[in-house]
Structure formats: C-alpha cells, structure tokens
Amino acid sequence: MVELTYANGALTARLYGEIDHHIAPKLRSEIDMKCESVRPAKLVLDFSGVSFMDSSGIGLIMGRYRCISLLGGRMEIVNIPPTLKKIITLSGIGSLGVMK
C-alpha cells in the first residue's frame, strides 16, 4: 500500500506492509502516475511502514530513481527500518546518495 502526498515541490510516497513481486507493480504504477502528473522536484520514499521487502523492492527503488532523474528531480529514501537497511545497503543503492 502507498499513501501519496504532494507539498512544496516534494512528492512523498509512504509505503506500508510488504513489498514483493505481487505488490511492487501496483506501487510502481501509482507512484509513476503521480510523478508524471505533478512533476516533483523531489521524490521521497518513506519506508517507515514497510515490514518486509524482497528484490522487487530494490527494483521499485531503482526504477523510481531513474524516473525522477529523467524528470530532472532527485530522490530521497527515508525512515528505513533496520531490517531493510542491510538489504538496501548491500544492493548498492547507498552509493546513489539517496539514503537519509
């Protein structure tokens, strides 16, 4: 599940529950549609409500990074639970400078 809010040029996607290959396409679609319509300067992915994530979550992050970059914006990943931080760090996403 995702809750999208837009304020001051930033689109925040608060993610909830589990992110796996069943859920990731729906999340991707919702976030991308909103990005296309508001063209934010910044996309914030808030992982505070995520309890589980597999490699589909990594794909979700990388795809949103590419999408917002093509729109001329930047991305931040915030409130990463300790259980997910290791997965995200090992994926190399940390080298993009988006983890806050």
Side-chain angles (χ1 to χ4, degrees), residues 4 6 11 27-43 63-73:
L4 299 168
Y6 179 71
L11 175 62
L27 298 175
R28 179 187 72 230
S29 176
E30 288 184 45
I31 296 168
D32 287 356
M33 284 183 3
K34 191 68 170 181
C35 277
E36 284 291 325
S37 68
V38 300
R39 299 179 94 55
K42 178 170 68 172
L43 172 62
R64 297 328 49 130
Y65 177 79
R66 182 175 185 275
C67 180
I68 195 66
S69 295
L70 290 173
L71 293 173

Side-chain angles (χ1 to χ4, degrees), residues 19-25 54 56:
I19 300 175
D20 59 21
H21 69 280
H22 295 292
I23 301 300
D54 64 12
S56 301

